Amino acid sequence: MSKYEKLSDVLEVYSELRNPLLDAVIKTLSVMHGKNLPFALELMLSELFYKQNAGDTCIRAEAESINRFYEDLFNQHRTLSEDGYYDTEPFSPLISKTDIELSFDDCFDLIGSDESSNKPLILDLDRLYIRRNLCYEKQIADFIKKASGDCSEQKLGEDDINSIKSLLDVLFERADDDKSRNQEFDMQKIAAAMAAVSHFCIITGGPGTGKTTTVAKLLLLLQKLNPSKNNILLCAPTGKAAGRMTESIKKQFSNNEPSPKIGSVAYSFPKVFADENEREDIKNRICKTAVTVDKLLGSIPHKAHKIRNADNKIDCDILIVDEVSMVDAANFAKLCAAIREDTKVIMLGDKDQLASVEAGSVLNDLCVDLSDSTRVFDDEKLSVISSLTGYSVDRLKTTDISNNTVQLNFSYRFSDYKGIGDIAGAVNEVYRESYTNLIEDRLNKPFLDYKDQVELKEIKSSKSWRENNSNLVSLCSAIVSDYGEFWKSLDASHYEGDRFTGITEELAKKIFKELDKYRILCSNRGGLYGIQSINEQIEKKARNELNTLNAKASSIDSEWFIGKVILVTKNNYALRISNGDVGFVAAERKKDGSAGPLKVWFGDENSVFNVSPVFLTDYESGYAMTIHKSQGSEYDKVCMILSTDLNPVMTKELVYTGITRAKKHVCIYSDRQVFLDSCKRRVTRESGLSDRL
């Protein structure tokens, strides 16, 4: 590789680095600087904008790191000839430490050392930032440090400690047949104790570990201790996640059994609050409808500024934020700025899931201490938690906790479906293993031991278009059968006897129940096995399956046909729909019992509403969705299709997230080697947040 002298030469070879925003920024900075930028700074900006699109908030301003980035690109473009020789000379470094230092000295008018300098670029912690991203990062760090430093809730008298301990013992009583009874620690109880004496707390854990149960019990504890702090708000990043949060919290308080299970919220509730009227009041305070983070903050059209901000705080005493892994740095910072100083904040999420689509990996950065064997504990707080839980300080230090974070590890869901739990655990851990044969053995074992729960099926791609098309059609024929019950339910619901009548809201709930039992998840949007190709094939099969029904609705050749499933791609609060919502098309039953126009139905098995298709503009087909879009959802059965080409999104976080959307069964279609290689790769996003904390 020759020593380039200008960025345009580099971009000509590495077209993936081209970015209209990069061009505009370099031109603007050159004007501000009064001359062309140094080549070294242009290289750094090129890397910065490329990585920002991939989720990083900054880059390391070090020659070794920058050269490694360009060497990786170089190796991706390098090809091996038939006689075993590479087509180019080995990579030679593009930049040196001296080049970097000289460029920073030359551009002192553009690069500041902190955000107060008001310069467009900031060099801090040996990292280069766009000023805006540094401001977000510092805002988050300042909020966490200030909230963590508030020790007022730890200063408890003996009576307070005894009261909280008694309540925790009641709330976290475990039955003799409790699946977690053989665990050394009741981590849910420890998490509740931690949150009770902390101004800010994170409870992390995989699916089915009891995060929602813990929060429901914690809220009962807090309402008993301080009933005046009763303004509780629930939020999540997406409409789907907010809906599931609402449903999960309400489910905790539903008492449909004459004898609630020992340890359940329904069992503990009357023991903590004996008065029935008081219980109803408490239940109404807690079981509120969760909203999206965007709606909580209040968006202003075409502006990044939010209605709720540092000058107009969110009015609440207790704020619960679910699925925090999906919140990017910008929205996390805006949320922190809008939180009152006296608000107790409890955040929930799975640190092993995919990070946000936009820049930042905030939850992962906040949980980094959990894997640090040298982490420093707040002994005063641990002493209080010890008094509340009965575990000694020394024993608490051996658990997965840090000063503000508790990790729940025991999965109640996967105790019944061990195959899914085992493969999820294997995917999460093998990247640490250096021996390929051990990695393969660890990943293969669950597929051999639990064939009824987890499957890995081989798919390939070919250089022949005809063969690829045949493979795609065959795959779709195999995976579409699990939508059969949804189509049967949809078909049957449109009739009363032989009369075509359309569906009611109650029937729509039953149809949603069938639809949400199964979902196809893909690693990528495009490509042979991406959602675009898969959805095109499945829509054809849906039209064919429901052809008679659509003939009666005169929608055989229409874009909107009975059985079409859509995924909303943009919030529209006027229509009450959010990014990530899934809907299906069906005819609405009119008051006279006849079939009305086609509507798109949204909701779930508990509540539904419909929207006329003419009002919908931001959507895509929803039979198959990307694994990214599936976060915050869960299904009985999942079909996960991975690209046959190892590409940047193929990481262990992606595979883990896809697998853990399944409650009972997951079938993975992948090239076996690509599956193994994906599990060995992990998302590493550059950020200075953990260093600041």
Side-chain angles (χ1 to χ4, degrees):
M1 183 176 185
S2 60
K3 184 78 171 180
Y4 297 112
E5 295 182 356
K6 52 185 180 178
L7 185 63
S8 57
D9 295 336
V10 177
L11 298 182
E12 189 173 332
V13 177
Y14 305 110
S15 57
E16 59 265 52
L17 295 177
R18 290 177 185 162
N19 184 334
L21 183 59
L22 171 65
D23 295 339
V25 167
I26 288 178
K27 286 178 183 177
T28 302
L29 293 178
S30 297
V31 171
M32 292 172 64
H33 189 49
K35 60 181 180 180
N36 290 336
L37 301 182
F39 178 53
L41 183 57
E42 287 186 336
L43 282 176
M44 285 186 273
L45 289 172
S46 178
E47 179 187 357
L48 179 58
F49 277 85
Y50 179 85
K51 286 192 169 180
Q52 185 174 277
N53 286 338
D56 297 45
T57 56
C58 57
I59 63 166
R60 295 268 179 181
E62 300 166 352
E64 182 181 352
S65 175
I66 296 164
N67 283 318
R68 185 164 55 246
F69 167 74
Y70 283 100
E71 184 176 8
D72 287 344
L73 288 179
F74 171 79
N75 288 332
Q76 289 171 27
H77 284 256
R78 206 178 185 199
T79 57
L80 195 66
S81 63
E82 292 182 2
D83 55 2
Y85 293 97
Y86 284 105
D87 59 350
T88 58
E89 294 296 317
F91 175 83
S92 59
L94 291 178
I95 196 170
S96 68
K97 181 181 178 182
T98 302
D99 293 331
I100 295 173
E101 291 172 349
L102 290 174
S103 68
F104 288 160
D105 289 342
D106 182 24
C107 298
F108 67 91
D109 54 328
L110 302 175
I111 305 171
S113 58
D114 58 58
E115 70 276 22
S116 62
S117 64
N118 209 27
K119 293 178 180 178
L121 302 174
I122 306 292
L123 181 64
D124 190 38
L125 300 178
D126 294 322
R127 294 173 172 91
L128 184 66
Y129 292 83
I130 295 171
R131 183 176 179 276
R132 179 190 62 217
N133 285 347
L134 178 78
C135 290
Y136 289 148
E137 192 171 283
K138 282 200 166 184
Q139 203 166 9
I140 295 168
D142 290 346
F143 171 82
I144 303 295
K145 286 191 284 189
K146 187 172 183 179
S148 303
D150 184 348
C151 302
S152 57
E153 297 182 47
Q154 295 173 213
K155 302 185 186 307
L156 302 173
E158 188 175 342
D159 290 344
D160 294 325
I161 287 176
N162 289 335
S163 176
I164 296 174
K165 186 177 187 304
S166 298
L167 286 168
L168 287 171
D169 288 342
V170 170
L171 289 165
F172 292 92
E173 180 181 355
R174 291 196 283 186
D176 291 337
D177 62 347
D178 191 298
K179 295 170 184 174
S180 69
R181 196 166 182 83
N182 62 348
Q183 300 294 302
E184 184 179 359
F185 298 96
D186 186 343
M187 293 306 296
Q188 291 186 11
K189 187 176 186 179
I190 292 171
M194 169 80 80
V197 299
S198 302
H199 200 59
F200 171 84
C201 181
I202 296 171
I203 302 173
T204 182
T209 52
K211 298 186 292 292
T212 307
T213 301
T214 303
V215 163
K217 293 179 179 180
L218 169 63
L219 290 173
L220 291 180
L221 171 69
L222 296 175
Q223 291 306 287
K224 186 69 175 179
L225 294 173
N226 197 345
S228 64
K229 297 282 188 180
N230 56 22
N231 188 359
I232 302 166
L233 290 181
L234 314 174
C235 69
T238 66
K240 188 71 174 178
R244 282 211 62 253
M245 186 185 190
T246 302
E247 178 190 340
S248 298
I249 291 283
K250 287 181 177 177
K251 191 175 180 181
Q252 295 292 328
F253 288 88
S254 63
N255 187 4
N256 301 323
E257 300 177 9
S259 300
K261 185 179 177 181
I262 294 173
S264 67
V265 173
Y267 176 83
S268 307
F269 197 8
K271 291 180 176 289
V272 177
F273 295 95
D275 183 78
E276 187 174 346
N277 292 327
E278 187 180 17
R279 285 203 301 275
E280 192 62 27
D281 183 43
I282 296 292
K283 183 177 175 181
N284 290 334
R285 290 183 206 167
I286 295 173
C287 296
K288 292 183 176 179
T289 300
V291 298
T292 62
V293 172
D294 188 61
K295 192 170 185 178
L296 179 68
L297 292 173
S299 293
I300 303 173
H302 313 300
K303 290 188 178 180
H305 191 65
K306 300 292 184 180
I307 294 172
R308 296 292 184 181
N309 51 56
D311 299 318
N312 183 26
K313 305 274 189 178
I314 299 166
D315 181 26
C316 74
D317 300 313
I318 302 170
L319 177 65
I320 313 292
V321 189
D322 198 10
E323 297 290 353
V324 181
S325 66
M326 298 166 65
V327 183
D328 60 81
N331 278 313
F332 201 103
K334 291 169 186 175
L335 181 62
C336 291
I339 295 173
R340 283 188 342 216
E341 288 188 6
D342 63 337
T343 298
K344 179 184 280 288
V345 182
I346 299 141
M347 296 191 168
L348 313 174
D350 184 351
K351 68 179 181 62
D352 296 315
Q353 266 191 195
L354 280 166
S356 57
V357 175
E358 302 299 328
S361 54
V362 181
L363 180 60
N364 203 280
D365 288 339
L366 297 181
C367 294
V368 71
D369 269 3
L370 291 175
S371 57
D372 184 359
S373 59
T374 63
R375 61 188 182 276
V376 178
F377 291 96
D378 180 341
D379 286 334
E380 183 180 350
K381 180 184 279 190
L382 278 192
S383 178
V384 174
I385 295 172
S386 174
S387 300
L388 298 177
T389 61
Y391 299 113
S392 70
V393 170
D394 287 340
R395 290 187 71 201
L396 285 171
K397 287 182 178 180
T398 67
T399 65
D400 287 327
I401 67 171
S402 64
N403 290 332
N404 301 297
T405 309
V406 180
Q407 178 163 327
L408 309 180
N409 291 315
F410 179 79
S411 176
Y412 290 82
R413 181 197 297 176
F414 297 147
S415 64
D416 290 329
Y417 294 91
K418 294 184 184 297
I420 299 175
D422 278 10
I423 188 59
V427 167
N428 234 349
E429 295 166 6
V430 294
Y431 77 92
R432 299 188 182 97
E433 183 56 67
S434 55
Y435 296 102
T436 301
N437 60 328
L438 293 179
I439 291 174
E440 293 182 3
D441 290 346
R442 179 79 171 88
L443 289 171
N444 286 332
K445 193 173 188 303
F447 296 114
L448 298 173
D449 294 347
Y450 302 98
K451 294 179 181 179
D452 59 329
Q453 296 175 27
V454 291
E455 298 177 83
L456 177 61
K457 296 187 177 181
E458 188 93 1
I459 54 173
K460 295 287 185 184
S461 62
S462 167
K463 292 181 179 179
S464 162
W465 177 87
R466 189 183 301 276
E467 189 175 337
N468 278 338
N469 189 62
S470 175
N471 290 340
L472 177 64
V473 171
S474 298
L475 171 65
C476 290
S477 297
I479 64 178
V480 80
S481 60
D482 282 300
Y483 278 125
E485 291 304 313
F486 163 62
W487 289 334
K488 285 180 185 176
S489 176
L490 195 58
D491 189 24
S493 298
H494 275 81
Y495 292 94
E496 279 196 348
D498 294 330
R499 186 184 176 205
F500 178 65
T501 59
I503 69 169
T504 63
E505 288 189 3
E506 288 306 309
L507 288 169
K509 292 176 187 178
K510 294 178 181 177
I511 295 168
F512 260 117
K513 187 175 182 179
E514 294 301 328
L515 176 60
D516 285 343
K517 285 181 179 178
Y518 177 65
R519 195 67 86 245
I520 298 167
L521 308 179
C522 302
S523 60
N524 294 79
R525 297 185 60 79
L528 176 61
Y529 298 115
I531 61 167
Q532 294 165 345
S533 301
I534 299 291
N535 276 320
E536 183 181 347
Q537 291 294 322
I538 294 181
E539 281 205 352
K540 288 179 184 177
K541 293 182 182 297
R543 285 179 184 273
N544 184 60
E545 190 75 20
L546 299 168
N547 186 64
T548 303
L549 194 59
N550 279 294
K552 290 186 176 292
S554 302
S555 56
I556 286 180
D557 297 320
S558 171
E559 178 192 354
W560 296 98
F561 63 93
I562 296 175
K564 183 181 181 72
V565 174
I566 70 163
L567 175 72
V568 176
T569 57
K570 189 176 181 180
N571 295 334
N572 188 326
Y573 297 127
L575 296 178
R576 293 189 294 155
I577 56 177
S578 301
N579 182 9
D581 286 353
V582 172
F584 66 85
V585 177
E588 182 180 33
R589 185 177 299 180
K590 296 195 290 190
K591 290 182 179 179
D592 64 4
S594 63
L598 297 188
K599 296 290 182 71
V600 184
W601 298 77
F602 293 99
D604 52 39
E605 61 182 278
N606 298 308
S607 64
V608 296
F609 63 94
N610 62 48
V611 174
S612 173
V614 298
F615 296 117
L616 294 171
T617 55
D618 300 293
Y619 65 90
E620 60 191 22
S621 186
Y623 276 107
M625 64 175 68
T626 63
I627 295 170
H628 268 95
K629 283 285 188 183
S630 73
Q631 287 180 270
S633 303
E634 57 183 36
Y635 312 95
D636 286 351
K637 296 181 73 174
V638 162
C639 168
M640 184 167 71
I641 306 171
L642 302 181
S643 169
T644 50
D645 297 316
L646 194 64
N647 57 67
V649 305
M650 307 278 281
T651 62
K652 67 104 174 170
E653 287 84 0
L654 183 102
V655 178
Y656 169 85
T657 301
I659 289 170
T660 54
R661 297 313 90 203
K663 293 191 284 186
K664 297 179 180 179
H665 183 272
V666 61
C667 182
I668 303 168
Y669 286 86
S670 175
D671 177 282
R672 185 171 289 272
Q673 190 58 51
V674 169
F675 173 71
L676 294 173
D677 289 342
S678 297
C679 295
K680 289 187 280 187
R681 303 166 74 198
R682 63 181 303 218
V683 173
T684 52
R685 289 188 170 182
E686 192 61 54
S687 159
L689 181 57
S690 58
D691 287 351
R692 297 182 196 283
L693 296 171

